[in-house]
Amino acid sequence: MSSMLFTITSAFSLSITGLMLHRTHFLSALLCLEGMMLAMFIAISTLSVQTNTGSSLSLPMFLLTLSACEASTGLALMVATTRTHGTDHLKNLNLLKC
């Protein structure tokens, strides 16, 4: 296993672990999701550079665009829940109370 593949795999695994274990704040969950998207972006970018195909060069830019949209939507949801509930703790959010 190359060192680049190990680094990308460990970054993705740490982001998933952080998402599972440290779900106290909405912002920490968003940061873990961004870490996962960044690891996938780096993996797809290195794959497209190594294969040298012209059709796969647009895929990393598409993923980066989706990542930016996901981040803006997540921040908008965090602002909305903070304004309505007064906090960004995920344990206080309950679908039955909304």
Side-chain angles (χ1 to χ4, degrees), residues 2-5 8 42-53 56-57:
S2 68
S3 62
M4 183 66 124
L5 182 62
I8 293 170
I42 292 172
I44 290 175
S45 296
T46 55
L47 180 70
S48 67
V49 167
Q50 287 176 355
T51 57
N52 288 332
T53 57
S56 66
L57 292 177

Side-chain angles (χ1 to χ4, degrees), residues 29 50 90 94:
Q50 287 176 355
L90 288 177
N94 190 357

Side-chain angles (χ1 to χ4, degrees), residues 47-98:
L47 180 70
S48 67
V49 167
Q50 287 176 355
T51 57
N52 288 332
T53 57
S55 63
S56 66
L57 292 177
S58 62
L59 188 60
M61 293 308 290
F62 181 70
L63 184 67
L64 192 63
T65 304
L66 286 179
S67 176
C69 292
E70 177 253 336
S72 65
T73 305
L75 286 175
L77 284 173
M78 187 181 74
V79 168
T81 56
T82 303
R83 285 183 180 172
T84 58
H85 296 289
T87 183
D88 67 336
H89 290 287
L90 288 177
K91 293 181 181 181
N92 292 341
L93 299 177
N94 190 357
L95 290 177
L96 298 176
K97 292 181 184 177
C98 292

